[in-house]
Amino acid sequence: MSDWTLPKGDLMAGKRGIVMGVANDKSIAWGIASQLAAQGAEIAFTFQGEALEKRVRPLAESVGSQILLECDVTNDAQLDAVFDRLKTVWGGIDFLVHAIAFSDKNELKGSFVENTTRENFLRTMDISAFSWVACGKRAAALMKPGGSMVTLTYLGAERVLPSYNVMGVAKAALEACTRYMARDLGPSGLRVNAISAGPMRTLALAGIQGGRGLVSTGREWSLMKEDTSMEGIAGCALWLLSDLGRSTTGEVVHVDAGFHVVGLPEGVDAG
Ligand code: NAD
């Protein structure tokens, strides 16, 4: 299946939306955005700070994007400006992709109890969990029934994994936010879901000590004995963001080649 690519189509034809969290062409947000575009979506992008603009601009231009805006999610004025601009240019949007997380890499190793500071705990929660609520609230105000939003989470929300530490706490909060957002926005016909992706070789993974080990162990222990594919993650996002996902909300969908259901891997002496 490694050379499989998603077929082109028109699942997202006539839909407009915003993708937040592209840092480079390895970003999960880019993997999703490029497939949304191949299915006919019109996409606005944000980037965090000028340094990333030069990486994101050519990607955005390659899918014909007309809207590229700076947005640090800790800055309410920038958040307001982004969604105000979408309202001015498009009037409304149909989807939001939130693929944003941050923590001090010095705390993504060793002992969670010993290494976690108040300052970084709060910052990690702000950027990696609260920002989903902040973006979702503003996106919802521009959506009509049928609108859909997706964030990215990881198994460290549910289970203990080496080094993931405070990010696991933030992902648990992110998943709980997904359910409460889905409750509040459901009566307006809006859907809110999370994709729990297996480990991918991105900048974010590089900040986790032993992150590459998560990839190799993920492959070895997974039911499918293979890496999580970007196509699989993007395919799931397409389902959730298109009308195919019509009745799914408040959900955390695992896209990890089955890693999350393994208790002990094959070959371990179970006594
Ligand atoms: P990435 O580094 O490409 O993307 C992370 C993005 O977060 C970057 O674009 C960065 O600019 C953005 N960001 C960080 N702080 C920000 C801020 N204050 N304001 C605005 N943007 C900010 O890495 P990625 O792996 O593609 O991460 C995307 C999402 O996927 C994250 O939520 C991550 O936790 C999640 N995820 C990643 C993996 C993995 O193994 N890589 C697995 C599951 C879930």
Side-chain angles (χ1 to χ4, degrees), residues 78-100:
Q78 284 189 7
L79 277 170
D80 286 338
V82 164
F83 288 90
D84 284 350
R85 178 80 180 280
L86 296 181
K87 187 173 184 185
T88 304
V89 180
W90 283 342
I93 58 171
D94 302 288
F95 64 87
L96 161 70
V97 175
H98 172 279
I100 289 173

Side-chain angles (χ1 to χ4, degrees), residues 123-141:
R123 189 164 167 75
T124 304
M125 291 291 270
D126 184 17
I127 296 173
S128 314
F130 176 73
S131 73
W132 174 220
V133 187
C135 295
K137 175 183 175 179
R138 290 167 173 83

